[in-house]
Amino acid sequence: MALDELADILPDERYAPSRNDEEIGKSISIFLNKQKEVVRRVFLLKYFYFESNIAIAERCGFTERKVTHMLAHTRAQLKEYLIKEEIYL
């Protein structure tokens, strides 16, 4: 389910056939390295380690609502970044 949240952000092969997974991964890494450490940590826990929002909240000392908000905000910023980098959606 976590990756479903990223489906709206990551490019569709039909519209961005020239972008390979490695290039997209590199762009995401660059984006994440520009974020605050806590934002990067929450994002990685959710989308790379597939932890639930509740587990992330407990681990980081946040409320579940804050984690949900952070993830939504980070996804929106990532989407803007990928558009700016001409990785079309």
Side-chain angles (χ1 to χ4, degrees):
M1 183 167 167
L3 293 179
D4 290 341
E5 294 174 3
L6 292 177
D8 293 337
I9 296 169
L10 299 176
D12 187 321
E13 288 180 349
R14 295 172 295 179
Y15 305 112
S18 63
R19 303 295 181 170
N20 63 40
D21 291 343
E22 184 177 335
E23 185 178 8
I24 295 165
K26 189 180 257 187
S27 291
I28 292 171
S29 291
I30 291 168
F31 167 80
L32 289 174
N33 285 326
K34 293 179 181 181
Q35 304 306 305
K36 292 181 181 178
E37 194 259 321
V38 69
V39 171
R40 186 171 48 247
R41 183 174 183 209
V42 167
F43 189 91
L44 291 173
L45 287 170
K46 179 68 175 186
Y47 300 114
F48 289 90
Y49 296 103
F50 303 106
E51 289 199 19
S52 68
N53 289 9
I54 293 171
I56 295 168
E58 289 173 359
R59 182 186 290 245
C60 296
F62 299 138
T63 64
E64 182 181 3
R65 183 177 175 159
K66 179 172 174 88
V67 169
T68 301
H69 175 74
M70 286 176 69
L71 290 167
H73 183 72
T74 305
R75 285 192 311 271
Q77 287 184 316
L78 177 57
K79 182 176 182 175
E80 287 179 23
Y81 177 79
L82 292 175
I83 291 170
K84 184 177 170 184
E85 293 297 307
E86 298 183 353
I87 297 176
Y88 299 106
L89 306 178

